[in-house]
């Protein structure tokens, strides 16, 4: 597999072409941003941990029948993935009240929702990823009705699986963001599943083990990412 030109550089990852037009390399950086990139920083070795965590989760999901763009963990910071066309809709799945939901409803963080809430955001940095609904998605043709049915179904089954899997490593899956892509007339889970885009709280102490430590200047950021990977790797060794 030969690495070729840089295709795109995002906030946390760089995409490189390979000699196979259907495959690209996701390179995980240590850069961290928050509040629509107004806050910038570095989380040392985040890229390495996020690559490991996401590769592991995509593998588990494949075993559960959830197809993603993941092909192979190539090296510390490189993941080989199928080259999808990203659907410009970010899906947020919530199990507990936190972040923007707490703010919007004036509620304390932590409350458990009676069932998961799905939210959609228009993936557009210049606009600050505004929240949208399925009418916006249909009228502006961001995704077809059929794709949306698929996206909702996959999102809920990923949530069901990940919630109980994280529970086994004593982590509460508070909320998380998913992205999807089109590949060969199929909808595939894409991007990454890491503490950058998930809220992960220790079940006992409710200590935050995710990017909120960076967003809110809570310190021990590196330790949190390393701890998530430590629990995953110890669990999978059992
Ligand atoms: N999220 C994300 N990217 C975004 C916005 C949110 O990965 O551009 C994730 C975030 O990490 C959290 C969940 O989606 O796990 C819900 O985020 P929320 O809407 O509460 O926004 P925030 O408080 O992060 O601004």
């Amino acid at each position: 597999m030969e690495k070729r030109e840089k295709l795109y550089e995002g906030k946390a990852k760089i995409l490189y072409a390979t000699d196979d037009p259907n495959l690209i390399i996701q390179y995980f950086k240590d850069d961290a941003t928050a509040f629509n990139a107004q806050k910038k920083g570095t989380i040392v070795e985040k890229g390495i941990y996020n690559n490991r965590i996401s590769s592991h989760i995509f593998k588990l999901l494949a075993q559960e029948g959830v197809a993603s763009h993941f092909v192979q963990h190539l090296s510390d910071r490189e993941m080989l993935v199928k080259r999808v066309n990203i659907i410009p809709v970010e899906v947020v799945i919530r199990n507990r009240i936190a972040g923007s939901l707490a703010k919007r409803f004036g509620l304390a963080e932590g409350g458990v929702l009676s069932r998961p809430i799905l939210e959609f955001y228009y993936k557009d940095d210049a606009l600050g990823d505004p929240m949208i609904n399925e009418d916006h998605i249909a009228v502006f043709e961001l995704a077809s009705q059929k794709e949306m049915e698929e996206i909702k179904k996959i999102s809920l089954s990923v949530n069901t699986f990940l919630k109980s899997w994280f529970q086994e490593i004593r982590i509460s899956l508070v909320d998380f963001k998913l992205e999807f892509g089109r590949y060969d007339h199929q909808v595939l889970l894409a991007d990454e599943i890491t503490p950058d885009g998930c809220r992960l709280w220790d079940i006992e102490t409710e200590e935050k083990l995710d990017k909120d430590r960076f967003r809110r200047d809570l310190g021990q950021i590196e330790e949190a990412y390393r701890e998530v990977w430590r629990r995953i790797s110890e669990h999978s060794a059992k």
Side-chain angles (χ1 to χ4, degrees):
M1 182 58 53
E2 201 183 318
K3 190 167 165 186
R4 299 227 171 131
E5 80 274 12
K6 188 196 279 193
L7 296 171
Y8 174 80
E9 178 155 5
K11 286 171 281 187
K13 297 189 292 294
I14 306 173
L15 303 180
Y16 294 97
T18 69
D19 44 20
D20 182 333
N22 293 316
L23 298 175
I24 59 172
I25 290 169
Q26 286 202 128
Y27 177 96
F28 287 76
K29 301 191 284 185
D30 287 348
D31 298 357
T33 61
F35 313 117
N36 200 27
Q38 288 175 68
K39 181 183 171 98
K40 290 193 174 95
T42 302
I43 302 174
V44 177
E45 298 198 325
K46 169 172 82 81
I48 298 173
Y49 290 109
N50 278 358
N51 190 20
R52 289 182 188 168
I53 293 166
S54 197
S55 295
H56 191 87
I57 291 175
F58 282 143
K59 272 188 225 168
L60 290 178
L61 288 172
Q63 289 167 16
E64 296 297 311
V66 178
S68 78
H69 69 160
F70 176 78
V71 177
Q72 206 187 325
H73 182 272
L74 289 178
S75 69
D76 265 0
R77 292 173 182 276
E78 292 172 326
M79 180 195 288
L80 186 65
V81 298
K82 290 174 179 162
R83 184 174 190 166
V84 302
N85 280 313
I86 290 286
I87 295 169
V89 175
E90 299 191 352
V91 182
V92 167
I93 302 99
R94 302 181 183 274
N95 296 307
R96 300 175 66 175
I97 297 167
S100 68
L101 180 66
K103 208 167 164 196
R104 203 174 321 120
F105 282 85
L107 294 169
E109 292 195 303
V112 177
L113 301 169
S114 59
R115 63 180 178 86
I117 291 176
L118 282 192
E119 295 173 351
F120 306 108
Y121 294 85
Y122 180 37
K123 186 175 160 64
D124 187 313
D125 283 338
L127 298 175
D129 297 347
M131 194 191 227
I132 52 176
N133 66 27
E134 289 190 69
D135 277 344
H136 300 115
I137 294 170
V139 171
F140 293 110
E141 298 181 354
L142 304 182
S144 72
Q145 191 55 48
K146 194 164 158 255
E147 286 171 332
M148 284 310 293
E149 292 311 319
E150 187 73 8
I151 285 170
K152 287 188 286 181
K153 199 181 84 190
I154 301 171
S155 298
L156 289 173
S157 55
V158 168
N159 183 48
T160 303
F161 173 76
L162 285 185
K163 221 168 83 174
S164 72
W165 178 73
F166 272 119
Q167 197 148 314
E168 290 170 25
I169 54 173
R170 314 310 294 156
I171 285 173
S172 175
L173 178 61
V174 172
D175 58 32
F176 62 107
K177 186 260 297 175
L178 294 178
E179 293 187 25
F180 294 86
R182 300 182 179 102
Y183 184 85
D184 198 20
H185 307 291
Q186 218 195 335
V187 169
L188 294 183
L189 184 57
D191 192 46
E192 62 180 286
I193 301 181
T194 68
D196 272 11
C198 301
R199 284 198 170 92
L200 306 172
W201 295 359
D202 179 88
I203 282 187
E204 274 80 37
T205 65
E206 303 219 316
E207 186 192 0
K208 294 178 188 0
L209 298 171
D210 56 58
K211 206 169 92 177
D212 271 347
R213 301 204 74 84
F214 170 76
R215 292 189 189 99
R216 303 179 188 187
D217 295 317
L218 300 176
Q220 309 245 295
I221 309 172
E222 280 83 5
E223 288 80 354
Y225 283 74
R226 201 183 318 129
E227 174 63 13
V228 172
W229 173 247
R230 188 189 69 78
R231 294 190 195 188
I232 292 172
S233 54
E234 283 184 5
H235 178 70
S236 71
K238 276 182 199 152

